[in-house]
Amino acid sequence: MSTERSLIGSVFERKTSTAQSLPSPRFAKTPGSGFPAVQHRSKSAFARAKEEEKSDINVRPTTAPPVIPARPLEQPQSRDLEVDSHIADDVIRQQISEENERRVANMTEEEREKERRDVLEQLGSGASDLLERVRAARSRNTTKAPSIAEGILVQDEQAPEVSREIPIVPPLSGLAIRRNLSRVKSLEDFGKRAPPILVKSSTRPSSPSKASRQLRFAALTPADVYVYESAPVSPKRKAIALPPPPDAPDPSIVSLGTFKENCSPRKRPLSPASPKSDDRPVQKIANDSSEPEEGTPEYIRRRYFPNVPAENPSVSWMKPSSSNSEPVLLRFDLTGAPIPADISATLPTHLGLHHHADGDHAGYTFDDIFLLSRSTVPAQRTMMLNILVGIARRLGMQVRDPQYTDRIPELEGKEEELRKRILAAGLSAMNERGGVGVRAIEVVWECIVGWNALFDTECAELDLAPAIMSILQVPDFLTQATELFTQAFLPPESLARLLSIVYRLSQESNTIAESIMKTPRLLPALIQTFLLTPIPPPSDTPMPDPVALKCLTVLASSSRTNALALCEPADALLRFITMLPPTSPFPESLATNLLIETLRLYATLASYGLYSHIATSAASYFASLFTYIVSSNSKPLKVAWAGLVEAWTVCATDPHHTTPPHDILWSQVTNWGWGIEVLQLRQGITEAEAEVWASIWSASSAWLEGARVNGIRGGEGERAETLNTIQDGFIKGVEHGVVTASLEALRAELAQIHATPLPEWCQRLQRIGMHARVLSSAVRLWLACTSIANTDVNTAAPLGTPPFNLPFTELSSFCAFVVSHSLWSLVTGVEQAACKHLATFLAYFHRLSRHIPGTSPDLWVAQGVAILERQLPGEEEHALQILEAILAILTPQFLDAMAPPSIWEKGGWKVIKPFLDYAIRPNRDSYIAPSDDTPESIMRCTTIRLPSSSSISSVTDEHRPTGLPLPRVWLTSPIDHLLRSGSSPVFKALPSSWDASEADVVRMSLLLAKATQEIVVRYNLSQFALKRSEMVFACMKVFMLEHGQQQEYPSPATGDEEEVFRDLIVSKLMSDLLAPFTLGATSTSSLSSKLPDIDLEQASLPFLGSGTPFYQFYTDFLALYDAISFSHPIFASLLLPPLALTYPIDYRRILWADFAHVLRTVRTPVDQVIAGDLRDFLYPVEKGEMIGKYVGSLLQGSVDGFLRLVALHHVACNIWPDLQSEEVGAEQEDVAKKLLKLVVEKGDGRVVREVLMYRQVREEKVICPPACFETSGEWIADRAEFVQQALGSELRERLQGMFDG
């Protein structure tokens, strides 16, 4: 049939009374500019079609409709004619279907293909889905039609309008649809008119009633949903997690969650066996006599949506979920407790747990909570933040206590990540007023303060949450906290929570403490809000908070700068001292706590030598205070007062060291009689109050130490008066019981330290620290009561009688137990603060031990070396005194033949003393306060707090605040400085009188290492001796001094051009140091050879660091040997330890292959090899490439001694089956025969005989040459048979003589 169209179509007369429904043209509303109107994507296609239809009603058509004369055109009824009967609808559908079928049947293949492309272009790739939906809808309408046709009449204004679906032809192959289209009338009209779904029927009322309206929703996919970031609730608050994340990863940005298409479990589709809609009984719209139960979905539908059919998708949200849904997500109730999955689906809806996307399950998922925590409804937001409080509390307990009963297994291992998200949610709401802000502060408190178990100490940086601190953005948080303090619209409880958060932040690190001090208006707001409250306090005004005083104490202890800044507001705190608790307007317990914290703050300032003038300015008040304290039963108050008296007494010992000078004088302290007053505190104290006894003894010690400097005849009268008071108590009184009880308690605590559960770990360490302080105070008092100066540790004059009795034997055995305890390897960072008094006790006991009868000089040196390595940061003065005492004992007379006289010519230990001092205190600008203040410490102290482990490891050596605890290799540290003399800070600070050479430094370093090594091993303190690998690496560094080091500050020459390692004294000392670790020493049961060892890669870490591998160092060492060694025996022996099979094959490859030419010069005998066991070089047997290297070296005759044994062993084990521990395969047997043939044909007689006769038994002790070639047994015949198989009878006969003898 022809498809040509006439040039001029039929002319129709327009009827003005009838509004025709015309297809909306594509550019019906072209603006005057000539450009098409912009179609915004924000409007749906349905909305745009409605607007076009309204505007086109009165538009006059400008063109005539086309006419196709070649094809008879039926006059169907208007497509928009509304049919009142479903039967009429069926007729129209049938007519359209027949017309479509005829048109398709009359098309050619080209026309069909063109129409198919047009359809795909119009509908997109989802055409098949569209056609399926149209077909399904038509099926549903067909099913529903009889129910209406049976006589149940429904008026138009009451019956809901049903979407009528027009049938279409079956889908063509490849046809795709576009979403949101539900019916197609004719394929011919595609591309020429808008989709019928967008065209309003001409007979449809323009304003339908509400009862007849029916909403139809398009099927959306996740790609159709666009999520826009919401603006902050308040423009003043900084947006948190709102801006898009940057391209580069930033750990400080925390996402509050990501949008998911549906967080609720998806309903599974019906199985094929489930009934279809066609099989359902016919539903009639009638008055049902049976009323559904109130509250059920059907009841709600009938009550509020009577005109909506039960199967309408718009009310499906009321139906309960099917039982075959996917597993329910973790949900929480309003207290943050998890709801079990089986209960979540059964809880009633009135509990407030169903206000989320998946209303079928009670409780809120994390996505629900984080989403609703940013709701604009304050009550809803408050409730979600309250849930986060409960979750954070449970997660914190889960982290702290492995035995926590209410653990959430689904969240194990995810606590820290959730902590960050919860904290971010709380921070975003902190500035809100009302309940939102209150709960937000509670969330932040749980994530920062309540999360970790804290040490109640101001003496260390906690550094427990560095990642959380980065999320918190401390400067911004402190600014917000300042505003909250100054505005004061929060309730007192929330202000107290906020104060505790600031207090916890001050404990985290010195850097944060400095930020707190620098935040504008924060410190005045804190003092004004929590300390300078009205007196008398009104009923509606909160009381002062002791936590604020604790915070000030922590800030002062963090740095001298902060302490100086706090001196000015400290005057206002006298109000808590002038008003004693009995007369205070505050409750007595609160007044006592405020008094205690004020005294502790003053003591902290006095530790820097600051603010001690207040003792003079308020002397009368402090006198009254002492009278009250003596009669008080408060143990913490007595401890605080004794600590303050001790600090002020130290300041008065040398007034030149206070800031400003002469802030307090010794004469004033004497007139006040503090020394006698402190002893009066002993009245009424029992053995159980050990902490009070320790404070009294420390204050008395400070008094006696000051009297030795400032008193008459060195404080003789003060000592006599003190001894007269305490002597009987240490013999059989309370003091003796306190010391004995602390000793027993310490032994018990240390014995159980490994079995301590994590929640009790902090408390146990604090108890250990308290009992250690008791012992250290007792020993310190004993030393202060002697007539020998405390600092004169070198004096060995015997004491006629001790000042008072102490359990010296028990103390000595306890020190031996403590110094070797594994506790020292368990504590780091803040935990060291609890053990600091234990290190102080060891230092004091070392002084006491010198005067105990039976303590020999070498035993005292052994004790000193062990105790020196147990000193912790802050005890640098003790460490330096112990080092000086050790060097004073190691005189030429003591060492005797160990060191030749010439070694002392350049000043002896003075040559290396600057390097050893640097190892203890590398940074002169940093001074950590010791456990007990001294006149030196109050002048030089820069901080009272111990640095955290991370702050020490993150800086270079010269900027480290401390070198303690010392590593085991600290005795050889002078050699490290020689290797890096160009950048060594020690060389830059050496005095002009220092004129030692490299050889002198190496001599004294090796001599000190040798002397201490022998002494500590002799007294069974082997854990403080250098291990084998550490000694090997120390000697390697001596040879590496010749590795072309560029020295900016060269040492004076020795007078010749000889290398340091060729110096006779240096060579002798290295030989003596390495001898105990050789295989020959192992056979003689040397104590050093039995020490536990580490590999060289670990031993080199303190010097090389993690950035330089030991393999690179060994490569340079091997190249240096090749260049300058000239077969030096010690140099050669140091090449061998990395050849053990426990090291990677690279070490063996570089020597046997890359440097094979130096093998001839390595003639080290087997007994001189530095190793613990020869088997480390022999087993497991090598395979592959190294066998060729071994065979080549044997055939060339370039190896001897130990290297020849190694090569022979691996070659023989690859040949003879009796030396192999597993079955030999055909391929391996072939390799063995080739190896044997190569050795026999190319090798000389010695090589052939040794390979043929080499014998070892893996399970037995290694047999060294020549015994390993002289054994006999049945294995000889087996090898002869193997030779015959591999080489034939003729060669066997030639080799038989070697087998026979």
Side-chain angles (χ1 to χ4, degrees):
M1 180 180 296
S2 173
T3 59
E4 294 181 0
R5 300 175 184 267
S6 61
L7 182 62
I8 300 178
S10 301
V11 178
F12 292 90
E13 180 180 356
R14 181 170 59 87
K15 297 180 180 180
T16 56
S17 59
T18 304
Q20 295 183 354
S21 178
L22 299 175
S24 58
R26 185 158 189 169
F27 304 108
K29 297 176 68 177
T30 303
S33 61
F35 294 95
V38 178
Q39 295 185 0
H40 294 281
R41 294 176 59 89
S42 59
K43 292 185 178 181
S44 65
F46 184 80
R48 288 199 303 270
K50 294 285 290 182
E51 291 181 359
E52 291 177 359
E53 181 183 1
K54 290 179 181 180
S55 62
D56 291 342
I57 292 177
N58 299 321
V59 176
R60 179 176 179 175
T62 57
T63 59
V67 177
I68 306 175
R71 179 179 301 173
L73 186 62
E74 298 179 7
Q75 298 295 329
Q77 298 181 6
S78 173
R79 63 177 179 272
D80 295 324
L81 181 62
E82 183 174 357
V83 182
D84 296 331
S85 172
H86 285 278
I87 299 177
D89 289 343
D90 293 340
V91 174
I92 294 176
R93 293 192 187 97
Q94 184 64 27
Q95 292 176 355
I96 295 175
S97 178
E98 292 175 356
E99 178 185 350
N100 289 337
E101 290 176 359
R102 287 196 303 270
R103 291 185 178 182
V104 173
N106 294 330
M107 288 183 180
T108 63
E109 288 297 328
E110 292 78 6
E111 291 175 338
R112 292 178 183 175
E113 185 62 29
K114 179 177 180 301
E115 294 293 342
R116 185 182 294 110
R117 287 195 301 269
D118 292 342
V119 170
L120 291 176
E121 181 180 356
Q122 291 292 323
L123 300 181
S125 59
S128 59
D129 190 17
L130 172 62
L131 296 178
E132 289 294 333
R133 292 211 309 270
V134 170
R135 189 177 293 108
R138 183 176 58 195
S139 176
R140 289 196 300 269
N141 292 337
T142 304
T143 305
K144 295 177 183 179
S147 65
I148 300 178
E150 286 178 4
I152 307 299
L153 300 179
V154 182
Q155 296 180 1
D156 289 345
E157 61 271 18
Q158 296 177 349
E161 183 178 347
V162 181
S163 173
R164 299 174 176 84
E165 309 294 339
I166 301 177
I168 62 174
V169 297
L172 302 176
S173 60
L175 184 63
I177 72 168
R178 184 176 61 194
R179 295 183 180 271
N180 307 333
L181 298 181
S182 60
R183 57 186 178 182
V184 177
K185 181 176 181 181
S186 173
L187 293 176
E188 181 180 329
D189 292 333
F190 280 152
K192 303 177 183 178
R193 54 180 293 114
I197 192 173
L198 304 181
V199 181
K200 182 179 178 180
S201 172
S202 61
T203 60
R204 181 176 179 176
S206 59
S207 299
S209 64
K210 293 183 179 180
S212 62
R213 289 180 183 175
Q214 180 178 6
L215 297 179
R216 302 179 60 195
F217 298 95
L220 299 181
T221 64
D224 299 322
V225 180
Y226 300 89
V227 181
Y228 298 90
E229 62 182 16
S230 59
V233 179
S234 172
K236 295 182 179 180
R237 184 185 321 109
K238 295 183 179 180
I240 295 182
L242 287 180
D247 296 334
D250 187 351
S252 66
I253 296 178
V254 176
S255 172
L256 295 181
T258 55
F259 173 78
K260 296 183 179 179
E261 180 182 357
N262 190 1
C263 297
S264 61
R266 297 179 179 274
K267 306 291 180 61
R268 293 177 181 172
L270 295 174
S271 62
S274 61
K276 301 295 182 180
S277 60
D278 295 338
D279 300 330
R280 291 181 296 181
V282 177
Q283 182 180 6
K284 298 183 180 181
I285 304 176
N287 294 327
D288 195 346
S289 59
S290 61
E291 287 293 332
E293 183 181 354
E294 184 177 358
T296 61
E298 181 61 20
Y299 175 84
I300 296 173
R301 186 190 67 80
R302 293 190 182 185
R303 177 71 175 81
Y304 299 102
F305 310 100
N307 298 323
V308 179
E311 69 276 4
N312 194 304
S314 62
V315 295
S316 62
W317 58 272
M318 296 189 299
K319 298 180 181 180
S321 61
S322 58
S323 59
N324 59 348
S325 61
E326 296 180 2
V328 180
L329 300 175
L330 181 63
R331 297 180 179 274
F332 299 89
D333 63 13
L334 298 181
T335 65
I339 302 176
D342 54 343
I343 300 178
S344 174
T346 60
L347 290 176
T349 59
H350 69 272
L351 298 177
L353 301 176
H354 294 75
H355 298 282
H356 49 78
D358 185 9
D360 298 332
H361 294 87
Y364 299 89
T365 65
F366 275 115
D367 287 335
D368 297 333
I369 296 170
F370 287 122
L371 179 65
L372 296 176
S373 67
R374 300 180 62 212
S375 171
T376 58
V377 180
Q380 193 174 50
R381 196 174 189 186
T382 302
M383 191 57 65
M384 293 302 106
L385 291 173
N386 188 68
I387 296 176
L388 291 178
V389 170
I391 295 175
R393 184 179 297 118
R394 285 174 171 80
L395 292 178
M397 289 294 298
Q398 185 166 308
V399 171
R400 295 194 303 270
D401 187 4
Q403 307 300 324
Y404 181 54
T405 55
D406 295 333
R407 301 179 68 84
I408 307 177
E410 297 88 345
L411 302 182
E412 289 185 359
K414 304 176 183 178
E415 293 88 354
E416 284 300 324
E417 183 63 28
L418 287 173
R419 180 187 183 186
K420 296 178 183 179
R421 296 184 64 189
I422 294 172
L423 175 61
L427 291 173
S428 66
M430 264 188 56
N431 281 353
E432 298 294 332
R433 293 179 177 267
V436 176
V438 170
R439 302 316 295 171
I441 292 176
E442 195 73 20
V443 169
V444 177
W445 188 92
E446 288 292 347
C447 291
I448 296 179
V449 181
W451 191 274
N452 297 106
L454 298 180
F455 285 93
D456 188 14
T457 178
E458 294 84 29
C459 298
E461 295 179 293
L462 295 182
D463 194 30
L464 298 178
I468 295 300
M469 294 302 114
S470 64
I471 298 299
L472 185 62
Q473 299 180 357
V474 175
D476 295 337
F477 173 81
L478 295 177
T479 302
Q480 290 184 8
T482 303
E483 295 298 327
L484 295 174
F485 285 141
T486 54
Q487 295 173 7
F489 60 78
L490 290 172
E493 296 78 8
S494 298
L495 287 175
R497 288 293 200 188
L498 190 60
L499 171 63
S500 63
I501 294 172
V502 175
Y503 173 52
R504 169 63 180 83
L505 294 179
S506 67
Q507 293 178 304
E508 182 70 10
S509 68
N510 291 343
T511 303
I512 296 179
E514 185 177 357
S515 299
I516 294 174
M517 294 294 297
K518 291 182 177 180
T519 301
R521 302 182 294 117
L522 175 56
L523 196 61
L526 188 148
I527 295 175
Q528 188 66 39
T529 305
F530 298 102
L531 297 177
L532 303 184
T533 56
I535 296 178
S539 58
D540 58 344
T541 302
M543 297 288 183
D545 196 334
V547 176
L549 287 169
K550 288 184 177 182
C551 184
L552 296 181
T553 303
V554 173
L555 294 175
S557 64
S558 62
S559 71
R560 178 180 287 270
T561 304
N562 291 352
L564 280 169
L566 289 171
C567 288
E568 181 178 354
D571 288 336
L573 304 180
L574 276 175
R575 56 163 49 189
F576 303 125
I577 294 177
T578 57
M579 296 181 298
L580 297 178
T583 61
S584 174
F586 309 118
E588 185 170 355
S589 60
L590 175 61
T592 302
N593 288 333
L594 292 170
L595 175 58
I596 291 171
E597 296 304 328
T598 302
L599 296 177
R600 294 177 66 245
L601 175 60
Y602 286 170
T604 301
L605 296 177
S607 297
Y608 297 98
L610 301 174
Y611 202 68
S612 55
H613 69 273
I614 197 64
T616 305
S617 305
S620 60
Y621 295 110
F622 285 110
S624 301
L625 175 61
F626 170 73
T627 303
Y628 168 74
I629 291 175
V630 171
S631 61
S632 173
N633 295 325
S634 175
K635 180 174 67 173
L637 181 57
K638 294 181 179 181
V639 172
W641 169 250
L644 179 58
V645 169
E646 177 189 358
W648 279 344
T649 303
V650 173
C651 290
T653 300
D654 191 346
H656 300 283
H657 289 177
T658 61
T659 304
H662 301 91
D663 214 16
I664 188 173
L665 303 177
W666 183 258
S667 59
Q668 295 172 326
V669 173
T670 305
N671 292 334
W672 293 327
W674 282 350
I676 304 302
E677 287 182 354
V678 168
L679 293 177
Q680 293 178 14
L681 294 177
R682 300 169 58 252
Q683 300 173 6
I685 302 178
T686 63
E687 291 184 9
E689 299 174 287
E691 192 173 359
V692 181
W693 283 109
S695 300
I696 294 173
W697 294 340
S698 293
S700 298
S701 300
W703 163 257
L704 294 177
E705 291 165 3
R708 178 177 285 120
V709 176
N710 299 286
I712 301 173
R713 302 179 63 180
E716 184 175 332
E718 289 82 352
R719 286 196 297 273
E721 187 175 7
T722 301
L723 286 173
N724 186 45
T725 305
I726 66 174
Q727 205 164 30
D728 293 341
F730 278 101
I731 295 175
K732 55 182 178 180
V734 180
E735 286 90 340
H736 174 76
V738 172
V739 173
T740 304
S742 292
L743 265 174
E744 295 175 355
L746 270 177
R747 283 187 178 275
E749 296 286 357
L750 291 173
Q752 301 173 10
I753 192 68
H754 295 287
T756 304
L758 186 60
E760 302 177 10
W761 173 255
C762 301
Q763 290 78 6
R764 187 177 294 279
L765 286 180
Q766 289 177 338
R767 291 195 297 269
I768 289 174
M770 187 272 292
H771 290 299
R773 184 164 187 253
V774 172
L775 296 183
S776 66
S777 300
V779 176
R780 180 189 179 190
L781 181 60
W782 189 94
L783 294 170
C785 289
T786 61
S787 59
I788 303 171
N790 249 1
T791 56
D792 193 5
V793 295
N794 302 326
T795 303
L799 298 173
T801 56
F804 52 83
N805 287 337
L806 285 176
F808 298 108
T809 304
E810 290 80 1
L811 288 174
S812 181
S813 62
F814 176 71
C815 283
F817 168 71
V818 168
V819 81
S820 302
H821 199 275
S822 59
L823 170 70
W824 305 99
S825 61
L826 301 177
V827 294
T828 58
V830 65
E831 298 167 345
Q832 291 179 343
C835 301
K836 193 175 179 180
H837 287 292
L838 203 58
T840 306
F841 162 67
L842 293 175
Y844 283 139
F845 178 80
H846 185 251
R847 297 185 192 178
L848 182 148
S849 174
R850 188 74 177 97
H851 306 292
I852 297 178
T855 303
S856 60
D858 53 346
L859 173 59
W860 202 53
V861 170
Q863 291 175 347
V865 172
I867 292 174
L868 185 57
E869 294 187 17
R870 295 310 187 203
Q871 295 304 295
L872 297 176
E875 305 304 319
E876 288 82 7
E877 286 300 324
H878 287 309
L880 292 172
Q881 291 174 4
I882 295 173
L883 173 62
E884 188 174 350
I886 292 173
L887 298 181
I889 292 293
L890 300 178
T891 61
Q893 295 76 20
F894 179 84
L895 296 176
D896 195 17
M898 188 180 297
S902 60
I903 203 173
W904 306 99
E905 294 177 355
K906 289 295 182 71
W909 301 122
K910 294 181 181 179
V911 172
I912 61 173
K913 185 67 163 52
F915 303 98
L916 300 178
D917 291 347
Y918 178 85
I920 296 174
R921 192 189 295 279
N923 189 353
R924 291 290 176 179
D925 296 331
S926 177
Y927 194 107
I928 304 172
S931 299
D932 298 320
D933 295 330
T934 64
E936 181 75 12
S937 71
I938 65 172
M939 180 183 66
R940 299 182 54 191
C941 177
T942 58
T943 181
I944 298 177
R945 305 169 72 182
L946 270 64
S948 62
S949 302
S950 60
S951 63
I952 294 178
S953 59
S954 61
V955 296
T956 58
D957 287 343
E958 59 183 302
H959 294 101
R960 293 176 62 197
T962 179
L964 301 180
L966 289 171
R968 194 167 36 247
V969 295
W970 69 276
L971 292 171
T972 62
S973 61
I975 301 177
D976 300 347
H977 289 276
L978 289 178
L979 285 167
R980 295 169 176 169
S981 57
S983 59
S984 171
V986 180
F987 275 100
K988 297 177 182 179
L990 284 174
S992 58
S993 59
W994 191 89
D995 62 347
S997 65
E998 282 187 346
D1000 294 328
V1001 175
V1002 174
R1003 287 174 181 176
M1004 299 310 299
S1005 299
L1006 296 179
L1007 177 61
L1008 181 60
K1010 178 183 176 182
T1012 55
Q1013 185 90 352
E1014 292 182 0
I1015 292 173
V1016 297
V1017 171
R1018 187 186 311 157
Y1019 285 97
N1020 295 322
L1021 296 172
S1022 56
Q1023 66 184 105
F1024 301 99
L1026 293 179
K1027 301 180 183 296
R1028 177 185 299 106
S1029 296
E1030 293 168 341
M1031 190 66 75
V1032 168
F1033 188 71
C1035 293
M1036 281 183 167
K1037 291 187 289 187
V1038 174
F1039 290 94
M1040 289 297 287
L1041 290 173
E1042 312 302 329
H1043 189 250
Q1045 297 292 324
Q1046 299 295 329
Q1047 298 185 13
E1048 183 179 351
Y1049 301 92
S1051 301
T1054 59
D1056 52 31
E1057 299 300 328
E1058 186 180 50
E1059 293 94 345
V1060 174
F1061 68 87
R1062 298 192 191 279
D1063 182 85
L1064 296 179
I1065 298 177
V1066 172
S1067 296
K1068 177 66 167 57
L1069 290 172
M1070 286 195 296
S1071 179
D1072 293 343
L1073 287 170
L1074 294 173
F1077 299 105
T1078 59
L1079 291 174
T1082 304
S1083 60
T1084 59
S1085 301
S1086 170
L1087 293 177
S1088 297
S1089 64
K1090 297 179 180 180
L1091 299 178
D1093 194 22
I1094 56 177
D1095 60 40
L1096 280 165
E1097 293 178 341
Q1098 291 178 302
S1100 64
L1101 278 177
F1103 177 73
L1104 297 179
S1106 58
T1108 304
F1110 174 72
Y1111 178 77
Q1112 179 179 337
F1113 179 89
Y1114 181 75
T1115 302
D1116 296 338
F1117 185 78
L1118 190 53
L1120 185 65
Y1121 174 85
D1122 184 25
I1124 67 171
S1125 69
F1126 295 101
S1127 302
H1128 192 280
I1130 300 178
F1131 207 158
S1133 65
L1134 295 175
L1135 299 175
L1136 304 179
L1139 301 183
L1141 295 175
T1142 55
Y1143 290 85
I1145 193 175
D1146 302 313
Y1147 292 96
R1148 299 186 292 280
R1149 184 187 294 120
I1150 192 174
L1151 177 61
W1152 289 90
D1154 299 347
F1155 286 87
H1157 55 281
V1158 305
L1159 294 175
R1160 297 179 180 274
T1161 63
V1162 183
R1163 302 290 180 177
T1164 307
V1166 175
D1167 60 342
Q1168 296 300 317
V1169 174
I1170 305 169
D1173 190 351
L1174 184 57
R1175 303 171 64 85
D1176 295 339
F1177 301 89
L1178 305 181
Y1179 298 102
V1181 177
E1182 292 251 43
K1183 306 288 184 183
E1185 61 173 308
M1186 289 306 301
I1187 299 301
K1189 312 301 181 186
Y1190 294 146
V1191 172
S1193 300
L1194 288 174
L1195 297 180
Q1196 295 173 9
S1198 58
V1199 289
D1200 202 358
F1202 168 75
L1203 292 180
R1204 186 177 186 87
L1205 172 63
V1206 170
L1208 279 170
H1209 173 82
H1210 290 290
V1211 171
C1213 288
N1214 276 271
I1215 294 177
W1216 307 118
D1218 60 279
L1219 296 180
Q1220 300 176 10
S1221 59
E1222 54 188 19
E1223 290 292 333
V1224 179
E1227 181 179 356
Q1228 189 174 355
E1229 183 177 357
D1230 184 57
V1231 171
K1233 292 179 180 180
K1234 292 181 179 179
L1235 272 178
L1236 178 60
K1237 183 176 181 181
L1238 179 63
V1239 170
V1240 172
E1241 292 180 352
K1242 302 294 184 179
D1244 56 19
R1246 179 189 174 189
V1247 172
V1248 174
R1249 179 183 177 279
E1250 289 176 348
V1251 171
L1252 292 179
M1253 301 303 298
Y1254 180 79
R1255 176 66 177 174
Q1256 294 286 352
V1257 179
R1258 183 167 186 169
E1259 293 76 14
E1260 298 178 1
K1261 183 179 178 180
V1262 176
I1263 307 173
C1264 296
C1268 60
F1269 307 122
E1270 299 173 355
T1271 58
S1272 60
E1274 298 179 356
W1275 55 272
I1276 295 180
D1278 296 337
R1279 291 190 182 182
E1281 181 64 26
F1282 184 81
V1283 169
Q1284 181 172 353
Q1285 296 176 5
L1287 306 179
S1289 302
E1290 181 179 354
L1291 284 178
R1292 176 186 174 178
E1293 293 177 359
R1294 291 174 52 187
L1295 300 176
Q1296 188 65 39
M1298 295 185 180
F1299 286 123
D1300 295 340

